[in-house]
């Protein structure tokens, strides 16, 4: 697939908060890339540097937090990558006002899931794109030697489950203050992640996907979205509350039985959510369709 419509490798600027750095792209073999941190949508401190670097494409993560004048100041083709579903009408209305044909607005948007909300109908939504993961910073293979059990403090883990887990041995609680690279790296060192949720996995919290990307055994009471293509029992273990601790106990006693699950999880993320491939497809489509709209070849 040739994404360089003019024959040259594109220059890509990724702009977004530090919490989303694991979903940007630091390096790749098909484009020149730079990351610009933009916290709480305040892009003013980096706009001059972005313009000086002159990217062909600006990929803005969490575009709904940006001000219109900052979007207008960006050079090149502008793609807003919505990181998580938005529910507030005011946020959706603000995002709509940042999009082309508003002068200088985003040329394209992505949305993280199907179906797109009614408020986006008529806007240039280019792709459904669950946030990809930059796997280049993760272990080159699952760490099968690690059997450490981690549990996030912020999840709905029933007290009885925690009590049963602690009877099996030490567990590490992940504090709620962790985010971004620190959160990704904390789970990457584990062997087992126990994750309880009332929602489907991965929509609002990246931790379950980070675990799969690192080859950590995910034991959970909730599924991933069906259209993500992540299969329970093949790539993670979906169990009711009353069997979570028992599953962890078996994984500790017979870790070799669960190594195929960990390996398939590690491979699945690289097949479906690997950032270099995902952004390559996105940039290709954005440039190709923009070229057609403007009458280019």
């Amino acid at each position: 697939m040739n994404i360089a419509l003019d024959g040259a490798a594109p220059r890509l600027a990724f702009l977004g908060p530090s919490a989303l750095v694991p979903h940007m792209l630091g390096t790749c073999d098909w484009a020149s890339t730079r990351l610009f941190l933009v916290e709480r949508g305040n892009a003013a401190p980096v706009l001059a540097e972005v313009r000086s670097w002159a990217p062909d494409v600006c990929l803005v993560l969490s575009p709904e937090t940006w001000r219109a004048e900052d979007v207008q100041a960006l050079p090149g083709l502008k793609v807003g990558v919505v990181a998580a579903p938005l529910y507030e009408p005011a946020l959706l209305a603000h995002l709509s006002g940042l999009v082309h044909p508003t002068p200088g607005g985003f040329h394209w948007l992505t949305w993280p899931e199907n179906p797109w909300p009614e408020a986006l109908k008529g806007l240039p939504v280019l792709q459904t794109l669950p946030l990809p993961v930059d796997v280049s910073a993760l272990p080159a293979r699952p760490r099968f030697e690690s059997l450490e059990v981690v549990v996030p403090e912020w999840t709905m883990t029933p007290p009885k489950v925690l009590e049963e887990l602690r009877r099996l041995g030490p567990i590490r609680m992940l504090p709620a203050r962790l985010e971004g690279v620190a959160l990704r790296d904390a789970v990457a060192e584990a062997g087992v992640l126990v994750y309880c949720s009332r929602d489907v996995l991965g929509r609002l919290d990246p931790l379950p996907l980070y675990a799969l990307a690192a080859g950590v055994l995910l034991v959970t009471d909730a599924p991933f979205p069906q259209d993500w293509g992540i299969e329970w029992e093949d790539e993670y273990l979906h169990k009711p509350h009353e069997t979570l601790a028992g599953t962890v106990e078996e994984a500790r006693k017979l870790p070799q039985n669960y190594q195929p699950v960990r390996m398939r999880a590690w491979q699945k993320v690289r097949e479906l959510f690997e950032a270099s491939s995902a952004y390559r497809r996105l940039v290709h489509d954005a440039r190709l369709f923009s070229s057609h709209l403007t009458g280019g070849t």
Side-chain angles (χ1 to χ4, degrees):
M1 176 171 57
N2 180 17
I3 64 153
L5 299 181
D6 59 0
R11 296 164 67 85
L12 310 181
F14 287 85
L15 301 100
S18 57
L20 295 181
V21 165
H23 306 282
M24 302 185 202
L25 186 57
T27 59
C28 65
D29 60 2
W30 54 270
S32 298
T33 63
R34 281 191 64 179
L35 273 57
F36 298 89
L37 295 184
V38 176
E39 304 296 345
R40 295 179 295 279
N42 180 20
V46 302
L47 286 175
E49 190 176 0
V50 174
R51 288 196 297 268
S52 176
W53 195 61
D56 299 298
V57 183
C58 287
L59 296 122
V60 176
L61 282 70
S62 294
E64 73 281 356
T65 65
W66 278 51
R67 300 179 302 178
E69 57 266 35
D70 291 342
V71 177
Q72 293 163 5
L74 291 175
L77 191 62
K78 308 170 192 182
V79 181
V81 179
V82 178
L86 305 175
Y87 301 105
E88 296 180 24
L91 268 182
L92 285 166
H94 176 69
L95 179 63
S96 298
L98 299 176
V99 177
H100 185 79
T102 299
F106 289 110
H107 300 92
W108 302 103
L109 293 176
T110 72
W111 192 255
E113 63 183 12
N114 278 318
W116 303 337
E118 192 66 29
L120 293 189
K121 298 295 173 62
L123 295 182
V125 180
L126 183 61
Q127 289 183 8
T128 299
L129 183 72
L131 274 190
V133 178
D134 182 8
V135 300
S136 65
L138 287 167
R141 64 167 184 84
R143 292 172 173 163
F144 292 136
E145 65 279 6
S146 175
L147 299 177
E148 181 187 42
V149 177
V150 297
V151 181
E153 287 183 349
W154 62 91
T155 58
M156 303 295 182
T157 309
K160 184 179 179 181
V161 173
L162 279 176
E163 181 182 342
E164 292 172 343
L165 289 172
R166 289 191 171 110
R167 279 203 296 263
L168 298 176
I171 62 175
R172 176 162 58 99
M173 302 298 295
L174 296 182
R177 66 178 179 275
L178 289 178
E179 65 177 12
V181 172
L183 181 62
R184 180 201 64 198
D185 292 349
V187 76
E189 299 171 357
V192 180
L193 171 66
V194 178
Y195 193 99
C196 295
S197 177
R198 294 176 182 172
D199 197 0
V200 294
L201 301 180
R203 296 173 72 245
L204 302 175
D205 184 354
L207 184 63
L209 197 58
Y210 291 165
L212 298 190
V216 173
L217 180 65
L218 174 60
V219 182
T220 177
D221 62 353
F224 282 96
Q226 189 172 4
D227 59 357
W228 281 23
I230 303 174
E231 303 291 338
W232 69 43
E233 306 312 313
D234 283 340
E235 286 108 27
Y236 70 107
L237 303 182
H238 182 203
K239 304 291 183 180
H241 284 158
E242 56 268 22
T243 65
L244 290 176
T247 301
V248 171
E249 182 178 22
E250 185 175 353
R252 275 180 154 175
K253 289 180 177 178
L254 300 169
Q256 67 276 9
N257 289 355
Y258 294 91
Q259 288 180 4
V261 178
R262 297 176 64 175
M263 178 56 76
R264 285 192 295 266
W266 184 87
Q267 292 173 329
K268 180 58 69 76
V269 172
R270 281 152 182 77
E271 291 171 5
L272 300 182
F273 298 93
E274 193 267 326
S276 179
S277 297
Y279 285 122
R280 185 170 187 162
R281 292 189 295 268
L282 177 63
V283 170
H284 173 272
D285 289 355
R287 300 185 79 193
L288 180 65
F289 294 144
S290 293
S291 176
H292 286 174
L293 289 174
T294 57
T297 57

